[in-house]
Amino acid sequence: GESVGLHLPTLSVQEGDNSIINCAYSNSASDYFIWYKQESGKGPQFIIDIRSNMDKRQGQRVTVLLNKTVKHLSLQIAATQPGDSAVYFCAEGFQKLVFGTGTRLLVSP
Amino acid sequence: GAVVSQHPSWVICKSGTSVKIECRSLDFQATTMFWYRQFPKQSLMLMATSNEGSKATYEQGVEKDKFLINHASLTLSTLTVTSAHPEDSSFYICSARGGVGQDMNTEAFFGQGTRLTVV
């Protein structure tokens, strides 16, 4: 069945460090992935997406890498800031959105 | 990005009553809307997917008679929690995406969420 999971529940980093959040998926037919950021008490906020015909996509301070061979994707945040502290979810977006467990990112000043 | 408005942001109701939550896409036509439920410190659990003008598709284990979903227009979907009980207390979030056919794989935009407390 479909499942999207994350490796680490909590990631603590220092301000200015680069952060890497990982995600594994099980549906080999998945062809579209999205990273969301969720702050406490709010709905998820779109960060970046990637389609299966790509291995890498860059945004502002963020990069998503997709490895279809091992069904793994990651979100890299450069120069992490305290405002980046939140829970990050990957989601598989083909036809419906299935969310992973989530990783809480804690950024210390 | 596109804006999805969810209302109310919080509601307290008595056990046995029904509560309606609205989800509106403000600046785009939402051909598909998703409804999620989220418990504290947990992920979003997909409850149902609705396409405008057709019946919602519920995920396994979600009671369709308890969680009524209506997607009557391209900008509005509603979730009604019928005969609410304390165990229905949760954070409910809607999401909307536009596009059809080959354009279905597009980002989905989320509402602010509704905190439901049943007493």
Side-chain angles (χ1 to χ4, degrees), chain B residues 7-94:
Chain B
H7 178 80
S9 57
W10 61 271
V11 57
I12 301 173
C13 71
K14 291 185 177 180
S15 185
T17 62
S18 296
V19 175
K20 179 184 285 188
I21 302 170
E22 293 188 347
C23 181
R24 296 180 183 272
S25 57
L26 299 185
D27 50 5
F28 69 103
Q29 293 185 327
T31 53
T32 305
M33 285 190 172
F34 306 98
W35 286 95
Y36 295 85
R37 182 174 181 176
Q38 186 177 33
F39 292 104
K41 299 184 179 180
Q42 294 190 23
S43 185
L44 284 72
M45 181 191 77
L46 180 64
M47 299 174 66
T49 302
S50 72
N51 295 294
E52 185 267 337
S54 60
K55 291 183 178 180
T57 301
Y58 289 81
E59 294 298 302
Q60 190 174 7
V62 178
E63 300 176 59
K64 59 182 65 177
D65 293 332
K66 181 168 187 61
F67 299 100
L68 301 179
I69 292 173
N70 183 281
H71 191 170
S73 77
L74 284 171
T75 59
L76 175 63
S77 176
T78 61
L79 168 67
T80 301
V81 183
T82 63
S83 187
H85 291 283
E87 57 265 31
D88 298 324
S89 298
S90 189
F91 192 53
Y92 292 87
I93 309 172
C94 72

Side-chain angles (χ1 to χ4, degrees), chain A residues 89-102:
Chain A
F89 295 99
C90 66
E92 181 267 320
F94 179 68
Q95 294 186 344
K96 60 184 181 180
L97 286 175
V98 176
F99 278 72
T101 307

Side-chain angles (χ1 to χ4, degrees), chain A residues 2 31-32 34 36 38 41-46 49 51 87 89-90 93-102 104, chain B residues 32 34 36 38 41-46 49 59 91 93 95 97 102 104-113 115:
Chain A
E2 298 177 356
D31 62 355
Y32 180 58
I34 314 167
Y36 286 96
Q38 186 181 30
K42 298 182 179 179
Q45 177 184 1
F46 173 88
D49 60 359
R51 301 186 188 279
V87 178
F89 295 99
C90 66
F94 179 68
Q95 294 186 344
K96 60 184 181 180
L97 286 175
V98 176
F99 278 72
T101 307
R104 179 172 297 281
Chain B
T32 305
F34 306 98
Y36 295 85
Q38 186 177 33
K41 299 184 179 180
Q42 294 190 23
S43 185
L44 284 72
M45 181 191 77
L46 180 64
T49 302
E59 294 298 302
F91 192 53
I93 309 172
S95 173
R97 82 187 340 175
Q102 294 179 347
M104 276 187 64
N105 285 349
T106 59
E107 63 184 279
F109 300 96
F110 284 79
Q112 309 95 310
R115 173 77 55 194

